[in-house]
């Protein structure tokens, strides 16, 4: 019984998950999430760090006490000398001189910065030289953003060229659509939750693109293997072969994602959460969220979209019709891995066949079974079996 469990069937690619056949569901969910993400970005926007919004930062030695007490004193100094500015974010950072607290505030003038540093030093009873202060202009953040967008455009162009040369243009379109879905959903999560956007976040966004591309290439490589020369074999439609590839590569993609998420989770939850290494938080957040979303989009968006695009190819349409004619299916179209009929124009029915229609559909292969051109038993040379070429099939005694 254990050998027939879900885990065993997943590892063997025999789970029979109807991913491609239910693409309407996945596209609908993805569309709703993308709409929510776009609305959130448009209405709420992002919580920009001082690198993008402009502002000041003050570093105070951790020896002054707890972070909460230090933040109270810094806010008091800002209220007195800073013209209404207040602490936006606070985090504990390490350095060669020991741990310190970094407080980021709104934009201050040079005179206000000097006055706030002196007031903070007085409140903590330390020398003003022990407090470091930096001023960041929002122009620097704009420069980082423009260069990141340029890097994104170059990356997408190179990905398109690589996938067209390695696979075909439809796979390139599906892969890039999956990448954009990943970026939009990750950005939407950042906007909804209010994560601070820093240069580390931008670096993380560019990093998850590579991971998402790897996930898509793993699945597409299996799709290409299953569909190579598919028009010469009338056992599987393109959608069924693609769905079989998803089932066969699902555990590989899942294992890769879990192995990648474990160190990133340690970086985020242990390094930033328990140890208080605030500099790791921004990078860890975007990597963790982006990698998790990349796994889902590579399985639920990229391959179903590829199958949809391929179903508009006249050659694939003719092949799907031949498969249906061979099976004697009661309706035109492609049959999904679970026996659900689908028109060759790209639409896939989500409802399974009733028992009578399933019987009429013939020997539609299960997802997880490899294509096999099995010869009908009891037939030889187009004549009934049982007695070779003898009339009436009488047996020789």
């Amino acid at each position: 019984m254990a050998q027939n469990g879900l885990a065993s069937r997943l590892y063997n690619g025999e789970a029979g998950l109807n991913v491609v056949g239910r693409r309407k569901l996945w596209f609908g969910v993805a569309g709703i999430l993308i709409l929510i993400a776009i609305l959130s970005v448009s209405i709420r926007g992002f919580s920009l760090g001082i690198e993008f919004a402009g502002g000041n930062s003050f570093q105070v030695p951790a020896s002054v006490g707890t972070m909460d007490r230090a933040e109270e004193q810094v806010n008091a100094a800002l209220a007195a000398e800073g013209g209404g500015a207040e602490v936006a974010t606070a985090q504990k950072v390490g350095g060669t001189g020991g741990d310190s607290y970094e407080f980021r505030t709104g934009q201050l003038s040079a005179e206000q910065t000097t006055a706030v540093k002196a007031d903070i030093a007085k409140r903590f009873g330390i020398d003003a030289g022990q407090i470091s202060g930096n001023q960041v202009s929002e122009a620097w953040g704009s420069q980082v953003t423009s260069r990141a967008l340029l890097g994104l455009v170059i990356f997408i162009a190179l990905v398109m060229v690589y996938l067209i040369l390695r696979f075909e243009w439809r796979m390139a379109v599906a892969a890039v659509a999956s990448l954009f879905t990943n970026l939009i959903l990750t950005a939407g999560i950042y906007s909804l939750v209010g994560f601070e956007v820093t240069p580390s976040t931008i670096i993380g966004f560019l990093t998850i693109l590579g991971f998402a591309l790897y996930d898509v290439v793993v699945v597409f490589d299996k799709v290409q293997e299953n569909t190579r020369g598919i028009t010469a074999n009338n056992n599987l439609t393109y959608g069924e072969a693609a769905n079989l590839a998803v089932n066969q590569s699902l555990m590989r993609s899942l294992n890769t994602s879990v192995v990648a998420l474990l160190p990133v989770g340690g970086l985020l939850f242990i390094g930033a959460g328990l140890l208080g290494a605030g500099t790791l938080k921004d990078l860890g957040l975007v990597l963790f969220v982006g990698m998790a979303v990349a796994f889902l989009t590579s399985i639920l968006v990229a391959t179903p979209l590829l199958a949809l695009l391929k179903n508009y190819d006249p050659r694939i349409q003719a092949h799907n019709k031949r498969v249906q004619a061979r099976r004697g299916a009661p309706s035109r179209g492609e049959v999904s891995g679970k026996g659900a009929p689908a028109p060759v124009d790209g639409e896939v029915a989500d409802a399974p066949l009733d028992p009578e229609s399933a019987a009429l559909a013939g020997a539609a292969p299960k997802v997880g079974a490899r294509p096999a051109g099995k010869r009908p038993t009891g037939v030889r040379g187009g004549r009934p079996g049982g007695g070779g070429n003898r009339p009436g099939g009488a047996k020789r005694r």
Side-chain angles (χ1 to χ4, degrees):
M1 295 297 293
Q3 293 180 350
N4 297 326
L6 178 60
S8 175
R9 288 185 286 119
L10 282 172
Y11 270 101
N12 294 327
E14 300 171 352
L17 301 179
N18 189 14
V19 176
V20 174
R22 302 193 181 279
R23 56 175 170 249
K24 284 183 178 180
L25 174 62
W26 314 134
F27 292 164
V29 172
I32 292 173
L33 293 178
I34 289 174
L35 179 60
I36 294 174
I38 293 176
L39 289 176
S40 177
V41 172
S42 303
I43 298 173
R44 289 174 53 90
F46 294 104
S47 177
L48 300 177
I50 64 172
E51 294 88 355
F52 296 97
N56 291 67
S57 67
F58 298 93
Q59 289 192 357
V60 180
S63 58
V64 299
T66 64
M67 182 183 293
D68 292 338
R69 177 179 177 275
E71 184 176 353
E72 291 177 2
Q73 297 299 325
V74 172
N75 270 323
L78 288 170
E81 308 289 347
E86 59 183 16
V87 174
T89 61
Q91 62 181 357
K92 187 177 182 180
V93 297
T96 56
D99 293 338
S100 60
Y101 302 132
E102 183 182 48
F103 302 99
R104 296 183 175 184
T105 71
Q107 193 76 43
L108 300 173
S109 65
E111 294 78 9
Q112 289 175 327
T113 301
T114 303
V116 168
K117 286 177 61 177
D119 196 347
I120 293 174
K122 181 180 179 181
R123 292 173 184 274
F124 288 124
I126 59 177
D127 186 79
Q130 295 181 261
I131 301 175
S132 60
N134 296 305
Q135 187 173 11
V136 180
S137 172
E138 61 181 0
W140 186 84
S142 300
Q143 186 179 12
V144 171
T145 303
S146 61
R147 290 182 178 178
L149 291 175
L150 177 62
L152 176 62
V153 172
I154 294 175
F155 178 86
I156 295 298
L158 293 177
V159 165
M160 290 288 290
V161 172
Y162 168 76
L163 291 177
I164 291 174
L165 295 177
R166 175 66 177 82
F167 299 109
E168 59 166 308
W169 71 265
R170 292 178 182 86
M171 288 188 173
V173 171
V176 171
S178 175
L179 292 181
F180 276 115
T181 302
N182 187 20
L183 283 178
I184 294 172
L185 293 181
T186 305
I189 292 174
Y190 258 73
S191 175
L192 285 171
V193 180
F195 294 155
E196 187 179 45
V197 178
T198 66
S200 297
T201 305
I202 304 299
I203 295 172
F205 266 98
L206 298 178
T207 303
I208 62 176
L209 288 176
F211 183 85
L213 176 64
Y214 171 80
D215 251 5
V216 172
V217 168
V218 166
V219 180
F220 280 4
D221 187 67
K222 194 64 180 177
V223 172
Q224 186 185 54
E225 177 184 335
N226 285 4
T227 58
R228 186 178 288 114
I230 191 173
T231 55
N233 189 330
N234 292 334
N235 290 319
L236 290 174
T237 63
Y238 189 93
E240 290 169 351
N243 195 64
L244 176 61
V246 171
N247 279 267
Q248 291 172 335
S249 58
L250 179 61
M251 285 307 300
R252 179 178 176 182
S253 297
L254 180 60
N255 289 336
T256 302
S257 299
V258 170
V259 170
L261 285 173
L262 285 176
V264 174
L267 183 75
L268 176 61
F269 298 110
I270 297 177
L274 297 180
L275 301 181
T279 53
L280 302 177
K281 181 181 66 176
D282 302 330
L283 182 61
L285 278 173
V286 68
L287 289 179
F288 191 86
V289 173
M291 286 181 176
V293 175
F295 166 72
L296 296 176
T297 55
S298 65
I299 298 295
L300 302 179
V301 175
T303 308
L305 180 58
L306 171 63
L308 177 64
L309 294 175
K310 290 293 290 187
N311 280 341
Y312 286 99
D313 185 348
R315 189 171 59 94
I316 297 299
Q317 287 184 4
H319 166 73
N320 291 340
K321 289 179 180 179
R322 288 195 300 270
V323 174
Q324 291 300 323
R326 182 176 182 270
R327 294 177 185 168
S331 61
R332 69 183 182 92
E334 148 188 345
V335 178
S336 70
K338 281 296 186 180
V344 295
D345 61 358
E347 296 296 328
V348 174
D350 295 328
L353 289 175
D354 55 80
E356 181 179 357
S357 299
L360 292 174
K366 289 184 178 181
V367 173
R370 295 188 176 277
K374 194 172 183 180
R375 193 175 181 179
T377 59
V379 177
R380 182 179 300 171
R383 297 181 181 179
N389 294 327
R390 295 176 61 84
K395 295 184 179 178
R396 178 176 298 177
R397 298 185 182 274

